[in-house]
Amino acid sequence: MDAAKKSKIVISSFLAGAVLLAIVAVLGMTSTNEEHMTTIQQVIKEQGGEIAAKGITIVPVEESPFEKSGKGNTIYRIYYTKDGQNLTAWFRSENHSSIKKEPEEWILP
């Protein structure tokens, strides 16, 4: 096999591997996000609340009451209603994407 053909095979293999890793990463992040949404809905329901339409948003640590957050955390602000009152809850989740993270934590009114 000549060098040009070997080079093309190596490059093609590398690109195929990179695409495969990207697909696995996207599927993993989607799964983690769905897991967080399920947890949020369950906790708010257990509190007797109902999440408002478009009531779950991701915010930076500066806009949250949490003092610390790592690259492996996502902070959610949750608007919900309970007994006719509009309330706000906060959830710092753990992601599987980084080792720099704080533990999961809830701040509920």
Side-chain angles (χ1 to χ4, degrees):
M1 186 181 304
D2 66 345
K5 192 169 184 177
K6 261 188 191 177
S7 178
K8 287 179 184 178
I9 291 172
V10 169
I11 291 171
S12 296
S13 297
F14 176 75
L15 290 175
V19 169
L20 182 63
L21 285 175
I23 291 170
V24 169
V26 168
L27 291 175
M29 287 188 294
T30 301
S31 174
T32 299
N33 189 38
E34 289 174 5
E35 180 182 317
H36 292 162
M37 291 300 157
T38 300
T39 300
I40 290 168
Q41 291 170 351
Q42 179 182 353
V43 169
I44 297 302
K45 187 175 182 179
E46 288 172 0
Q47 295 293 315
E50 185 176 323
I51 298 173
K54 298 185 182 181
I56 302 173
T57 54
I58 296 173
V59 297
V61 68
E62 300 82 26
E63 293 181 24
S64 77
F66 295 106
E67 293 180 17
K68 290 194 229 174
S69 180
K71 291 181 180 181
N73 295 111
T74 302
I75 298 177
Y76 296 92
R77 177 178 46 212
I78 304 111
Y79 293 120
Y80 69 103
T81 57
K82 178 181 174 183
D83 300 328
Q85 292 183 319
N86 293 324
L87 303 169
T88 303
W90 299 88
F91 176 52
R92 179 178 62 203
S93 67
E94 275 189 30
N95 299 329
H96 307 292
S97 61
S98 176
I99 59 172
K100 293 182 179 182
K101 56 188 165 190
E102 297 296 321
E104 283 190 353
E105 185 179 351
W106 279 91
I107 297 176
L108 296 163

